[in-house]
Amino acid sequence: MAQVPQRFFDALAVRTWCGLSLRALGRAREEIDAINVYPVADGDTGTNLYLTVESAVAAVEAVFAAHEVDGGTRDASGARCTSEDRDASGARDTADGPSLADAVGAMAHGALIGARGNSGTILAQLLRGMAQVLTERGDSAHTEGPGLRLALRHAATSARQAVAHPVEGTVLTVASAAADAAEGAEGDCAEVARAAYEGARAALVATPGQLPVLERAGVVDAGGHGLVTVLAALVETFTGRAPGPVAVPHARVEPGGAGAGEERATGECAEEDGEGGPAFEVIYLLEAEDAAVARLRRRLDALGDSLVVVGGDGLWNVHVHVDDAGAAVEAGVEAGRPYRIRITHFGHGDAHTTGAERPPRERTQRAVVAVVPGEGLAALYTEAGATTLLARPGEPPASGELVQAVRRAHAREVVLLPNDADLRHTAAAAAEQARTEGVRVALIPTRSAVQGIAALAVHEPERRFDEDVVAMTSAAGATRHAEVTVAERQSWTTAGICQAGDVLGLIDGDVAVIGADVSEVAATVLDRMLSAGGELVTLVLGDEAPQAVADRLEARVREAYLAVDTVVYRGGRQGALLLVGVE
């Protein structure tokens, strides 16, 4: 179906662009992965860009969904507003939904927290650079051609500043060329976008002449190819038609072949032939002040290469290649609070590894992959043998991250526990992708981490796969779940109207109790759950819940429910004050 063109760059255009970019990267992902030759031939640039944009899309959609819940995207009759609901100039009224600043801010934040790899991290900074210009316009509903030109220029400049040692022939070159071409364009957003795309495409074709490793491999820069794909989606946003396919050299390069992976972000080209270099990729989000980040840049620059630090306003995404992964993480601890830490060993078969070939690691027969909401639960699940994916409050994992967790489990058969009702579609998509890679996947629709605990407790890898899945599904289904949390804003609930700061008790996903005291609400929730019977109560305390809550609930169970056992865990930063399971 033809895309309805957007005349202005407003919130709806941001939403459209993000969605089109994700679909385009999905189609181009394998091709981009295949030409990933600098500096590590790990074949993941296309995947990293896809995951980064997927996170941006999720953030933008969340902003629109929040306005829909609040009624902001419907008119007085209740009809949903569309791209046709615009003022006389053609711009959409911000009262109909999120403002341009809301949308681009969400896009930039989503990309920042979901950025993967060198290319994804640089793309996140490009989007942040655009957002910085567009949010300066305050409550403006839209911007036109001149505003888009400024945004593209600032994006290219800020991305280059984020890289420790910029090198030409990379995505940075392509971004600069796009900004240069846009500056020479007159007219509306469509003309500016088209000029930026054509400039970027021409620069991409020229990248082999700037980096010898690309020329030897017969490919263009993979990160630059991804950016051209994203700019093509921008053209489609404003014209309704996608430009033709990017006709560039794309000889397939297998991991371990000539060259070495994603764009060189360090400028240290002594290893152009693809030998030597750091053994680990370290990525983490960091909460820190600007001054501390400046010191962190200097320290990490001395530790390794491919250093990219993006973000601002107290939240950063740090990417570096090092030999001492522990030192890179320790540097983050000294600077602030690092989290969502990912350490990847480049391993055999890439340009950083020399020596005799080693056989690939044998797959295990069966594994459990679980999404968990806190560090404490992650440790508990890991101790029980599961491969875990940590989901921070407000940061649900993307389907690609679930697929990577399945790959990390390295098993022929995988039982997937999403542990969140809102992740059912994401988990289903990940399961389907894993099946195409030859993994037998069973998705158990667990709605809470306590249901996952119950399923994991009966997991027996020696059983037939189907029997194991049935037993785990039955255990999860027999576990009623609840949580105690704090309301963030006034809202209608199934138990009445709550105010910001009220303590809410949710049973099986619905608000059942509204109160002012955590212990009182928790006790009421537990009584209601045990009124239907039960043999075991599982309590998972969040970081902000006092131990006295668990002590009171344990005492209540001992006094009033003599045949019921209680087990208590510390969940860490899990979002909810308390998770409750009754089996």
Side-chain angles (χ1 to χ4, degrees):
M1 185 174 66
Q3 173 65 41
V4 177
Q6 307 296 317
R7 291 180 56 195
F8 298 92
F9 199 41
D10 61 4
L12 188 59
V14 172
R15 186 186 202 183
T16 302
W17 180 32
C18 288
L20 290 173
S21 295
L22 186 65
R23 288 194 286 275
L25 286 171
R27 293 190 296 269
R29 179 183 62 80
E30 290 186 2
E31 179 182 356
I32 296 173
D33 281 346
I35 64 172
N36 178 189
V37 299
Y38 195 67
V40 183
D42 47 2
D44 63 357
T45 293
T47 299
N48 287 338
L49 289 168
Y50 181 88
L51 291 173
T52 302
V53 174
E54 187 178 42
S55 183
V57 168
V60 172
E61 290 301 320
V63 167
F64 273 85
H67 277 266
E68 290 175 6
V69 168
D70 293 338
T73 57
R74 298 180 183 276
D75 61 22
S77 67
R80 181 168 178 165
C81 300
T82 70
S83 59
E84 302 304 319
D85 300 322
R86 299 177 180 267
D87 62 23
S89 70
R92 194 164 61 91
D93 186 352
T94 55
D96 294 337
S99 66
L100 173 61
D102 291 336
V104 295
M107 173 185 71
H109 179 74
L112 176 67
I113 65 174
R116 303 294 290 266
N118 252 0
S119 294
T121 307
I122 292 172
L123 177 61
Q125 188 65 12
L126 287 166
L127 297 179
R128 177 178 170 81
M130 292 185 69
Q132 286 175 321
V133 170
L134 298 173
T135 53
E136 287 176 356
R137 296 173 177 266
D139 295 330
S140 176
H142 70 282
T143 193
E144 301 185 32
L148 182 56
R149 287 199 298 269
L150 288 174
L152 289 169
R153 169 52 63 197
H154 187 65
T157 301
S158 62
R160 191 169 286 267
Q161 291 171 344
V163 176
H165 304 284
V167 166
E168 300 308 324
T170 68
V171 64
L172 299 175
T173 303
V174 175
S176 294
D180 291 342
E183 285 183 343
E186 299 293 338
D188 59 11
C189 288
E191 291 300 319
V192 173
R194 190 179 291 108
Y197 165 76
E198 293 294 345
R201 184 176 173 278
L204 176 65
V205 173
T207 55
Q210 296 171 294
L211 280 178
V213 66
L214 299 179
E215 186 174 29
R216 287 195 297 271
V219 299
V220 296
D221 179 66
H225 193 330
L227 179 58
V228 170
T229 302
V230 170
L231 290 172
L234 186 63
V235 174
E236 186 177 1
T237 298
F238 294 117
T239 66
R241 292 184 296 179
V246 182
V248 295
H250 57 274
R252 184 174 184 84
V253 178
E254 300 294 344
E262 292 181 331
E263 69 281 349
R264 181 70 166 181
T266 67
E268 300 166 5
C269 297
E271 295 156 358
E272 275 188 359
D273 291 331
E275 295 183 0
F280 296 96
E281 178 185 59
V282 178
I283 306 173
Y284 49 80
L285 292 179
L286 177 70
E287 294 177 358
E289 299 298 326
D290 290 2
V293 172
R295 292 191 296 271
L296 174 67
R297 288 179 191 269
R298 292 192 292 271
R299 180 168 178 187
L300 292 180
D301 194 21
L303 285 175
D305 62 27
S306 294
L307 174 61
V308 186
V309 181
V310 304
D313 301 321
L315 180 63
W316 309 81
N317 191 306
V318 179
H319 171 281
V320 67
H321 293 174
V322 293
D323 280 320
D324 189 343
V329 175
E330 288 173 8
V333 172
E334 292 178 6
R337 191 182 74 82
Y339 61 99
R340 294 184 78 171
I341 300 167
R342 292 189 294 270
I343 300 174
T344 303
H345 192 291
F346 289 123
H348 169 72
D350 63 39
H352 283 165
T353 305
T354 58
E357 292 190 2
R358 297 190 297 271
R361 180 166 61 94
E362 180 67 21
R363 286 183 179 271
T364 59
Q365 182 59 33
R366 188 175 308 160
V368 176
V369 174
V371 180
V372 290
E375 299 90 340
L377 281 172
L380 176 65
Y381 272 73
T382 300
E383 185 178 349
T387 297
T388 61
L389 178 60
L390 188 61
R392 294 283 181 180
E395 301 173 9
S399 62
E401 292 178 284
L402 276 170
V403 172
Q404 292 203 348
V406 171
R407 292 171 182 156
R408 186 157 40 93
H410 204 61
R412 299 182 183 90
E413 301 169 339
V414 169
V415 180
L416 184 56
L417 306 175
N419 292 337
D420 187 337
D422 292 335
L423 288 180
R424 61 188 184 279
H425 297 306
T426 301
E432 189 60 33
Q433 174 62 35
R435 291 181 188 116
T436 67
E437 299 177 6
V439 182
R440 188 181 184 187
V441 181
L443 171 60
I444 297 179
T446 47
R447 298 164 60 88
S448 170
V450 292
Q451 289 188 321
I453 292 172
L456 199 55
V458 300
H459 169 54
E460 292 186 14
E462 304 307 317
R463 274 194 298 225
R464 291 178 57 248
F465 185 65
D466 291 338
E467 292 176 354
D468 198 28
V469 171
V470 168
M472 294 176 72
T473 302
S474 177
T479 302
R480 282 160 288 153
H481 63 93
E483 67 177 78
V484 177
T485 188
V486 177
E488 296 181 355
R489 61 179 183 272
Q490 183 186 53
S491 180
W492 286 90
T493 76
T494 51
I497 300 176
C498 70
Q499 305 295 328
D502 282 349
V503 180
L504 307 180
L506 291 80
I507 299 177
D508 294 331
D510 293 323
V511 177
V513 183
I514 300 174
D517 181 78
V518 175
S519 294
E520 291 292 340
V521 170
T524 302
V525 166
L526 187 58
D527 283 340
R528 291 193 185 183
M529 296 180 75
L530 287 173
S531 66
E535 299 175 355
L536 175 65
V537 171
T538 300
L539 304 174
V540 184
L541 287 174
D543 270 354
E544 298 181 3
Q547 181 63 39
V549 174
D551 294 341
R552 176 175 175 178
L553 295 179
E554 283 190 284
R556 185 170 187 82
V557 171
R558 284 195 303 270
E559 295 168 3
Y561 307 97
L562 300 180
V564 179
D565 294 323
T566 305
V567 60
V568 180
Y569 302 109
R570 274 285 178 181
R573 287 185 26 154
Q574 63 186 25
L577 296 173
L578 175 70
L579 300 178
V580 183
V582 173
E583 301 175 46

